[in-house]
Amino acid sequence: MNLELRHLRSLVAVDDARTFTDAAIGLGTTQASISRSVAALERTLGVRVFQRTTRSVTPTAAGKRIIEHARRVLDEAKLLEEAARDHAGELRVGYAWSALGSRTIALQRRWEEANPGVQLIWVQSSSPAAGLAGGSVDLAVVRRELNDPRFTETLVGTERRYAAVAATDPLARRRFLRMADFTGRTIAVDSRTGTTAEDLWGPEARPSSVRPVQGVDDWLTLIATGKAIGMSSEATASQYPRPGVVYKTVRDAPPICVFLAAWKDDPSILIAEFARLARQAFAEAPLP
């Protein structure tokens, strides 16, 4: 059997996530598919790449060297894909929960005016890097730093935080909320791709418990049914109106930084142009 890029992507994803389940989520596939790819690669190479136990997955000594080479191969393949996409006339932009909220349409129009021969495609992904690590997009909108040496991150703007509460919740009748209003409440948190964590609050006033969720639909369903409240960016409030859910600005919450993440040393002119227009959208179209 010949090695394929999908085998290498599965290998690197498992090394990054250290579980087959999270690796599958990051690549948008199944755990069984990841396991088959890694097993096939190990058979082809004739070495065990990972040491597996019931609690952990760690690379062997040989596996560490193989994974390092796999990363280099994927980086080179990514450059080939970027060159092909530039030539093909499209730019794929990934995002986890929301693109740029109410600014998305304005940016899309400006892009079409400035780059009539290049199609701008928005791609939602449930991975922390919004599809960038898997190679399905050219750049990604992220709202927390990735801390991955393979990527560069450019700050393009900031957003206010909004609370999301059930329409029947007494907080829904307020004009706005404050951080202290979350004290003693259950808060829904997506630790993989969300923008909220318990450390936003001081020890004297913080939510009483956390309900983990996976993705914005899970988050909204939990809130609409009154099982929890949430906090997210103004882009989420704009992009995801939902019956039974009311959004309220949280006046004293720290702002959310919005970054564009791309592969390091990527020379794409299209990415630089998108970053310029994104910064312009934040500078010229502040939300009320």
Side-chain angles (χ1 to χ4, degrees), residues 3 61 103 125 131 141 158 172 179 183 189 236 242 251:
L3 289 179
R103 300 176 175 91
S125 170
V141 178
T158 60
M179 295 289 287
T183 304
V189 171
T236 301
R242 176 70 64 92
R251 284 197 172 177

Side-chain angles (χ1 to χ4, degrees), residues 102-138:
S102 63
R103 300 176 175 91
T104 305
I105 295 177
L107 189 149
Q108 181 86 35
R109 291 199 193 100
R110 289 180 177 180
W111 177 269
E112 292 170 355
E113 292 171 358
N115 305 276
V118 182
Q119 187 176 8
L120 186 61
I121 300 173
W122 300 91
V123 180
Q124 188 173 26
S125 170
S126 60
S127 68
L132 189 62
S136 60
V137 298
D138 305 301

